[in-house]
Amino acid sequence: MTVHELFRAERLPVLQNRVYARREDALASPTGDVVLVQDSATGLIHNQVFDPSLLVYDQEYQNEQAGSLTFRRHLEEVLAIVEPHFAGKRILEVGCGKGYFLERLREAGHAATGIDPAYEGDSPHVVKAPFEPGLGLSGEGIVLRHVLEHIPDPMAFLASIVQANGGKGLIYIEVPCFDWICDNRAWFDIFYEHVNYFRLGDFGRMFGTVIASGNLFGGQYMYVIADLTSLRAPQAERRDLLMFPDDFLCGVETSRQRALAHAGSRAIWGGSSKGVIFSNHLARCGVGFDVVIDINRAKQGKHFAVTALPIVSPEEAIARLEPGSLVFVMNPNYLDEIIVQSHRRFNYAKV
């Protein structure tokens, strides 16, 4: 396998959505390196030094986003895309997380089952186990939302789904869009947990029949609906090779200058993946923050990995931070929602 190195980052938190009750534990949280390479034969991009043994998930891993009205609207858009293709079909959601989208499928009248070893609820429609063909689970329609980027061998994983499905069926795949990350110099979107980084064209090489495809969530995500019978080994041509931007990290210095130019309190709004990576890069530049703000109650009162920043509710942030405090908004998709929640109290900086 011949690979070309695109980007590297050292000592990133291995679980950016893992929060810590004790500051000392947050400071000591494990880190790992990222070396993104592109395989010249397949055109696929992955972290060459990824070590799955570093990822230990427990009840302190919190990545639920459905508390946000903005994100729920995104899930409704996904539902509208899936329904015409999966109507009347048995649906299996692989990696259903906390089960919010699975419940929306069922509420919409679909016969849907989920599988996820980290599921915490008590729904009889969810199997708490890792997916593998021996479980006997299958579906005429497979939903795979924000799973494939976490899988060390994505082609083998997709082949296992084909095997479990008897070689037939449709699949909906949703993942972050690497073209969007590159075009927007989104350095805060490179995570250790994401071993793979996909572009829309990758799926055209992975499947012979792509029924539908497009971008979602302001371009940050992309999706395909493909025929499982058409899964094939991807083969890249010269045009599939990526020219990674030389100035990819330019936004780090821009954010550093903006932060240091502000004399008052500074905060991060968004206690998830982007915020964790943002805080780590800025900490290395000598920039600190007072708090992280997040609406997820399971994260409030806890600490970020590595930087150990305290996570507070919007209400506590309003009480603690003076008017006009500089608040870096990790995802501009949520800006309008954030302004309303904080009563326009702060000075907002989109990242």
Side-chain angles (χ1 to χ4, degrees), residues 42-45 144 148 153-156 158 162 173 175 196-210 222 224 226-235:
T42 67
L44 300 182
I45 296 163
L144 198 66
L148 203 59
D153 189 341
M155 293 304 300
L158 290 172
V162 174
I173 300 173
V175 292
N196 306 301
Y197 292 81
F198 296 103
R199 300 170 296 161
L200 204 53
D202 294 333
F203 292 102
R205 297 193 305 279
M206 294 161 65
F207 292 96
T209 303
V210 173
M222 63 186 183
V224 296
D227 187 336
L228 279 170
T229 64
S230 69
L231 182 69
R232 60 189 180 184
Q235 296 184 344

Side-chain angles (χ1 to χ4, degrees), residues 149-171:
E149 64 266 33
H150 296 266
I151 305 297
D153 189 341
M155 293 304 300
F157 185 73
L158 290 172
S160 73
I161 292 177
V162 174
Q163 178 187 347
N165 249 41
K168 59 184 182 298
L170 299 180
I171 188 167

Side-chain angles (χ1 to χ4, degrees), residues 45-346:
I45 296 163
H46 69 282
N47 178 10
Q48 190 177 40
V49 297
F50 179 77
D51 180 1
S53 69
L54 294 177
L55 305 182
V56 179
Y57 295 92
D58 60 19
Q59 67 276 11
E60 296 298 342
Y61 184 85
Q62 296 290 338
N63 67 340
E64 181 55 61
Q65 297 170 277
S68 162
L69 176 60
T70 299
F71 196 78
R72 292 198 299 273
R73 287 172 177 158
H74 160 65
L75 294 181
E76 292 304 308
E77 183 180 359
V78 174
L79 184 63
I81 291 169
V82 168
E83 283 192 308
H85 302 280
F86 287 11
K89 301 181 185 295
R90 292 180 297 105
I91 297 175
L92 175 65
E93 185 179 8
V94 178
C96 65
K98 308 299 183 185
Y100 181 88
F101 187 67
L102 178 70
E103 289 305 312
R104 282 298 297 121
L105 286 168
R106 296 192 61 81
E107 289 168 1
H110 299 282
T113 300
I115 179 169
D116 198 309
Y119 177 72
E120 296 174 351
D122 55 6
S123 171
H125 306 294
V126 178
V127 178
K128 298 181 185 180
F131 176 82
E132 53 97 5
L135 289 174
L137 294 174
S138 63
E140 297 162 292
I142 304 295
V143 172
L144 198 66
R145 293 187 53 258
H146 296 275
V147 172
L148 203 59
E149 64 266 33
H150 296 266
I151 305 297
D153 189 341
M155 293 304 300
F157 185 73
L158 290 172
S160 73
I161 292 177
V162 174
Q163 178 187 347
N165 249 41
K168 59 184 182 298
L170 299 180
I171 188 167
Y172 171 89
I173 300 173
E174 182 181 324
V175 292
C177 178
F178 195 57
D179 280 332
W180 183 91
I181 291 173
C182 292
D183 291 345
N184 290 276
R185 309 302 192 262
W187 47 274
F188 40 84
D189 267 331
I190 303 293
F191 315 134
Y192 190 85
E193 284 182 64
H194 291 183
V195 58
N196 306 301
Y197 292 81
F198 296 103
R199 300 170 296 161
L200 204 53
D202 294 333
F203 292 102
R205 297 193 305 279
M206 294 161 65
F207 292 96
T209 303
V210 173
I211 298 168
S213 65
N215 293 96
L216 296 163
F217 209 51
Q220 295 182 32
Y221 303 157
M222 63 186 183
Y223 75 91
V224 296
I225 297 176
D227 187 336
L228 279 170
T229 64
S230 69
L231 182 69
R232 60 189 180 184
Q235 296 184 344
E237 299 181 11
R238 182 176 294 275
R239 67 172 182 266
D240 299 315
L241 301 182
L242 176 69
M243 293 296 294
F244 194 77
D246 293 333
D247 62 345
F248 185 69
L249 290 172
C250 63
V252 176
E253 176 60 19
T254 301
S255 295
R256 185 189 76 86
Q257 291 181 9
R258 182 158 191 179
L260 295 180
H262 182 79
S265 298
R266 298 189 292 259
I268 291 171
W269 196 303
S272 198
S273 300
K274 298 176 192 289
V276 170
I277 301 304
F278 181 88
S279 70
N280 273 261
H281 279 283
L282 270 292
R284 295 175 190 179
C285 298
V287 177
F289 296 90
D290 295 274
V291 295
V292 175
I293 309 165
D294 200 277
I295 63 172
N296 187 339
R297 293 183 180 179
K299 292 186 177 186
Q300 294 164 8
K302 306 294 179 60
H303 299 268
F304 259 9
V306 180
T307 58
L309 291 171
I311 306 170
V312 303
S313 67
E315 294 77 17
E316 185 174 349
I318 290 171
R320 290 178 58 166
L321 301 175
E322 70 272 10
S325 294
L326 180 61
V327 174
F328 284 89
V329 176
M330 291 301 102
N331 194 325
N333 286 348
Y334 298 107
L335 180 60
D336 291 342
E337 186 177 326
I338 286 169
I339 290 173
V340 170
Q341 289 171 341
S342 56
H343 310 296
R344 301 183 179 272
R345 181 181 178 86
F346 304 126

